[in-house]
Amino acid sequence: MSLPQHAGLDTALDYRYGEALSPGQLVRVPLGRREVLGVVWASELLSEEEAQALKPVQALLPLPALDAGWRRLVAFAAGYYQRGLGEFALQALPVGLHQATPAALQRRQRAMPQVAHSVGAAGLASEPPMLNEAQLAAVAAVCAQFEPGAARPPLLLWGVTGSGKTEVYLHAAAEALARGLQVLVLVPEINLTPQLEARFAARFGAERLVTLHSALTPARRLRHWLAAHRGEAQLVLGTRLAVMASLPRLGLIVVDEEHDASFKAQDGARHSARDLAVLRAAQAEVPVLLGSATPSLETWQHSLSGRYHRLDLPQRVNAAPLPAIRLLDTTRLPRSKGVAQPPMAQALIDAMEQRRLRGEQSLLLLNRRGYAPVLQCGACAWKSDCPHCSAWRVFHKGDRTLRCHHCGFTEPVPKRCPDCGNTDILPVGRGTERLAEQIGEWLPQARVLRLDADTTRAVGSLEAQLAQVHAGEVDVVVGTQMIAKGHDFRRVSLVAALNPDTMLFSSDFRAPERLFALLLQAAGRAGRAGGGGEVWIQTGQPQHPLFQALLRSDYAGFASQQLEERQAAGLPPFAHLALLRADSREQLQARDFLAACAELGQQLAPELSWYPPVPHPVARVANQWRWQMLVESPHRPPLQRALQAWMPEVLQLARQHRGVLRWAIDVDPSGI
């Protein structure tokens, strides 16, 4: 019997058991001095002499075996992303399962409620609203793929913000559930899960729904995973880790906000949950529905080439108009002497007050948390740099600290300049904390709420603050990008984006695509209940093509221009990339390791482009130097073949370069 290797091992391990075990069976086996979770991958007969040379399986877990579809998905993902089979398999299983004993699992399963397998038999918890013509056509296209023998290209649901994409998801899910199938719904971030969960629970009943995301306690996540694995949960809603959930009756996959970078893991097995969702649907021969108002350029190009089938929702539900977009040129605004950050236009402040007097809400997007990005000495120009990172420490006024958002190093704000002793230390720039304070000064009657990672750390705090917004207890919401995605704020009629230019000239070639998506998603929060929604964008580059496309809400035009640039530059989706990263204590150790890797790769596959190593955009974090090197291929198969030959050699090189603390391969990186 063979099991996939545990994380860190390169080959499968063999164990003995008195009888043949089914592939996919979950077991507990000894590994060194520990006892760990394993998945049976294959079973074969051994002679008694061969069996005695192996360690025995300690216990079988009383659970159904992981099915062939799940194992096929894991095997593909491990090969494609160049990770160990066991690493991928065990990463996909909940932490609570890793420590569970057979007896504990039996007790837990006896305590779990039984759930009916068909919504059609039990009826809907709430009656769905009437759909418009475009929504009906989209639902019909999804339902047609449930029929035996139907062609099942991936479906792109491209709809303007507020066009009712969620209602299409709900109708498609109802059809799948009526057929006794399970539905997997993926969302990019945890903060979107409660709202979508409430919509699905209201429609189908909370007892049929489970969630899977990292904010769950280990016990709750295990309970939800077991409900899905045993086929009792009909709806599974989760973040990217849910794409690997065991679903024996999978019938439909939905990926909401498919463009979001959060679907790409940035540590561990660096997989794309969106791409694996498309693959899983193809392997299981079930529909997959990708929804977005601003699809990723890869997905958009697939729709243009005919590989994906596009379903359009061109207008908002109830024919509500799209918000009017207005550009404010910050270079023309008066500035105070010595103040670097762009000011807020008085006209915008007045517009927010008008909204408040009408009982409406305003939403201000500033994608920078903290009070100020940096403190600076007025005498010697000292700045609050981090001693451990190539970054500034951010000033947080609430607790009077300087905090590095990369390594977490935190100190109290110094009373004097550490270099010259001057007491004139001033904040430079503006974060959400400072903006919320300023709004309170400019509009003293306004009820201001700040929503960012600092104000939503406590369990349940995000839900409580969102409830305040929905209840009309807030006049102005100030926040980072977390407020721009997916929320249905019915009272918001004014959205303003402040200082978006920082993303405009990033070294990352995907930055314009992400900025356009962020701003259009933020704009979509305005005027969703009808009426005259407005979007104000303060920028120093109002004539930039990106902002001009935003004025017209013209995603198709923006995507066309971006695709032309990508094709000319040989960038995705017209090329395929892999990024090798390495960290070391000494600055040049990681560079030398990657240079040797690049030289070896050039020898193995000279037809590919092997670029020399360069420092990471944040070159040092927690006293570790970070370097990266890029591999580029015009086609995916040659890149995969090269990586399969290259990675064993890279492993050998890493053993020779002992100064390298860690290294990792990232196939299809989301940023470079």
Side-chain angles (χ1 to χ4, degrees):
M1 181 197 67
S2 298
L3 298 103
Q5 68 271 29
H6 198 269
L9 299 180
D10 300 321
T11 58
L13 301 179
D14 291 337
Y15 292 84
R16 59 182 166 86
Y17 195 69
E19 59 188 69
L21 296 177
S22 300
Q25 175 72 56
L26 289 158
V27 295
R28 298 198 65 79
V29 294
L31 184 66
R33 297 182 179 180
R34 298 175 296 153
E35 185 181 284
V36 299
L37 177 68
V39 183
V40 177
W41 219 254
S43 186
E44 60 182 277
L45 290 175
L46 300 175
S47 67
E48 186 171 341
E49 182 179 355
E50 291 172 321
Q52 290 305 313
L54 302 176
K55 292 182 178 181
V57 170
Q58 299 290 352
L60 307 184
L61 297 187
L63 292 173
L66 295 159
D67 64 26
W70 186 90
R71 301 194 307 275
R72 189 164 59 247
L73 175 69
V74 167
F76 176 89
Y80 183 82
Y81 291 107
Q82 303 298 317
R83 309 297 294 201
L85 181 62
E87 179 184 6
F88 241 106
L90 298 177
Q91 177 181 278
L93 301 175
V95 174
L97 193 60
H98 287 243
Q99 288 86 36
T101 64
L105 278 175
Q106 285 179 334
R107 288 193 300 269
R108 180 177 293 277
Q109 292 184 89
R110 282 197 298 267
M112 290 175 63
Q114 299 296 313
V115 180
H117 284 179
S118 174
V119 170
L124 299 176
S126 65
E127 287 299 317
M130 296 292 292
L131 301 184
N132 60 34
E133 185 176 339
Q135 288 174 307
L136 287 170
V139 172
V142 180
C143 291
Q145 293 197 2
F146 289 121
E147 300 304 324
R152 296 184 182 89
L155 299 170
L156 168 61
L157 183 63
W158 178 45
V160 298
T161 54
S163 59
K165 291 186 289 293
T166 302
E167 201 57 49
V168 174
Y169 304 157
L170 290 165
H171 277 72
E175 178 65 22
L177 297 178
R179 294 169 179 259
L181 303 173
Q182 292 174 293
V183 177
L184 173 63
V185 182
L186 300 178
V187 295
E189 295 188 25
I190 293 170
N191 64 63
L192 297 182
T193 309
Q195 182 171 311
L196 203 60
E197 180 183 358
R199 292 283 298 274
F200 274 87
R203 182 65 53 85
F204 302 116
E207 71 278 2
R208 301 183 177 91
L209 171 67
V210 297
T211 56
L212 286 174
H213 52 76
S214 59
L216 298 175
T217 64
R220 191 177 179 193
R221 183 177 162 190
L222 174 58
R223 184 168 68 250
H224 290 190
W225 184 89
L226 287 172
H229 175 59
R230 300 198 317 178
E232 293 163 359
Q234 298 166 311
L235 289 151
V236 176
L237 174 64
T239 51
R240 65 171 177 260
L241 62 84
V243 74
M244 307 294 286
S246 174
L247 296 158
R249 301 191 326 280
L250 179 63
L252 171 67
I253 302 177
V254 174
V255 185
D256 190 30
E257 308 293 359
E258 67 82 30
H259 65 276
D260 199 287
S262 298
F263 281 123
K264 183 67 161 70
Q266 298 303 315
D267 52 22
R270 290 168 165 81
H271 64 282
S272 165
R274 179 201 63 204
D275 294 349
L276 287 184
V278 173
L279 171 76
R280 186 172 191 179
Q283 290 181 339
E285 298 184 343
V286 301
V288 58
L289 183 60
L290 311 174
S292 178
T294 54
S296 68
L297 290 182
E298 286 83 356
T299 297
W300 186 255
Q301 176 61 22
H302 286 327
S303 75
L304 294 178
S305 68
R307 182 177 175 184
Y308 290 6
H309 179 58
R310 198 177 82 203
L311 309 170
D312 295 353
L313 300 181
Q315 64 182 21
R316 287 182 156 187
V317 293
N318 302 323
L322 289 171
I325 297 179
R326 176 177 178 179
L327 299 180
L328 288 172
D329 187 349
T330 56
T331 64
R332 298 178 178 273
L333 297 178
R335 297 198 183 198
S336 301
K337 184 177 181 180
V339 177
Q341 75 269 15
M344 180 178 285
Q346 184 60 47
L348 176 54
I349 298 172
D350 295 340
M352 292 164 55
E353 176 65 6
Q354 293 169 11
R355 294 302 199 275
R356 185 191 71 82
L357 293 173
R358 295 206 299 261
E360 299 170 1
Q361 296 171 325
S362 300
L363 188 153
L364 301 183
L365 173 67
L366 179 63
N367 207 26
R368 176 176 284 163
R369 60 190 175 99
Y371 189 84
V374 65
L375 288 185
Q376 180 173 314
C377 174
C380 72
W382 167 88
K383 292 183 179 180
S384 56
D385 61 321
C386 177
H388 310 297
C389 304
S390 305
W392 307 116
R393 282 180 292 165
V394 176
F395 172 40
H396 290 258
K397 187 177 181 181
D399 56 4
R400 300 290 300 175
T401 60
L402 293 176
R403 191 181 309 161
C404 178
H405 290 173
H406 295 279
C407 73
F409 178 67
T410 302
E411 282 186 330
V413 173
K415 296 181 179 180
R416 299 175 179 273
C417 172
D419 285 357
C420 72
N422 175 41
T423 57
D424 185 20
I425 304 177
L426 300 174
V428 178
R430 179 196 290 133
T432 50
E433 186 181 4
R434 189 176 194 180
L435 178 59
E437 178 183 274
Q438 291 175 328
I439 296 299
E441 295 171 355
W442 297 330
L443 302 174
Q445 303 301 317
R447 298 166 296 176
V448 182
L449 175 68
R450 176 163 62 100
L451 275 176
D452 57 30
D454 296 318
T455 65
T456 57
R457 293 184 188 278
V459 176
S461 59
L462 175 61
E463 292 81 356
Q465 292 176 68
L466 290 175
Q468 287 182 269
V469 180
H470 291 302
E473 299 171 2
V474 174
D475 299 312
V476 180
V477 182
V478 175
T480 53
Q481 62 180 350
M482 70 183 335
I483 65 176
K485 302 175 181 180
H487 300 294
D488 189 9
F489 298 132
R490 308 303 291 177
R491 291 179 171 87
V492 169
S493 59
L494 173 65
V495 170
L498 308 181
N499 196 27
D501 296 357
T502 54
M503 291 179 64
L504 198 58
F505 302 109
S506 167
S507 60
D508 186 353
F509 70 90
R510 298 185 192 274
E513 174 186 0
R514 290 176 178 164
L515 176 59
F516 189 93
L518 177 62
L519 294 178
L520 200 61
Q521 292 286 334
R525 303 314 107 200
R528 295 174 73 89
E534 281 190 328
V535 179
W536 297 45
I537 299 175
Q538 288 201 171
T539 172
Q541 305 286 332
Q543 299 305 315
H544 193 282
L546 184 148
F547 294 120
Q548 291 300 308
L550 271 172
L551 277 178
R552 304 185 299 271
S553 296
D554 182 16
Y555 170 80
F558 169 78
S560 176
Q561 175 260 332
Q562 285 289 300
L563 286 172
E564 287 180 9
E565 292 184 5
R566 297 271 189 95
Q567 189 167 26
L571 292 170
F574 305 102
H576 303 276
L577 308 177
L579 200 65
L580 186 64
R581 295 185 170 98
D583 300 349
S584 61
R585 289 287 183 193
E586 300 296 329
Q587 181 175 6
L588 301 184
Q589 290 174 326
R591 184 204 65 178
D592 293 345
F593 164 65
L594 293 180
C597 292
E599 182 179 355
L600 180 60
Q602 183 67 39
Q603 297 171 4
L604 291 172
E607 70 277 11
L608 303 188
S609 298
W610 303 82
Y611 292 95
V614 296
H616 188 277
V618 182
R620 185 169 62 107
V621 169
N623 293 321
Q624 295 179 14
W625 293 92
R626 308 193 299 173
W627 288 75
Q628 57 191 28
M629 62 148 294
L630 186 68
V631 186
E632 180 184 275
S633 171
H635 304 289
R636 182 175 280 116
L639 177 61
Q640 281 292 309
R641 289 193 296 269
L643 293 178
Q644 289 169 9
W646 187 48
M647 292 310 295
E649 303 297 332
V650 170
L651 180 61
Q652 294 299 321
L653 282 174
R655 291 168 177 161
Q656 300 171 21
H657 291 257
R658 298 187 179 275
V660 175
L661 298 174
R662 67 184 61 85
W663 60 273
I665 186 70
D666 189 354
V667 181
D668 301 335
S670 62
I672 60 174

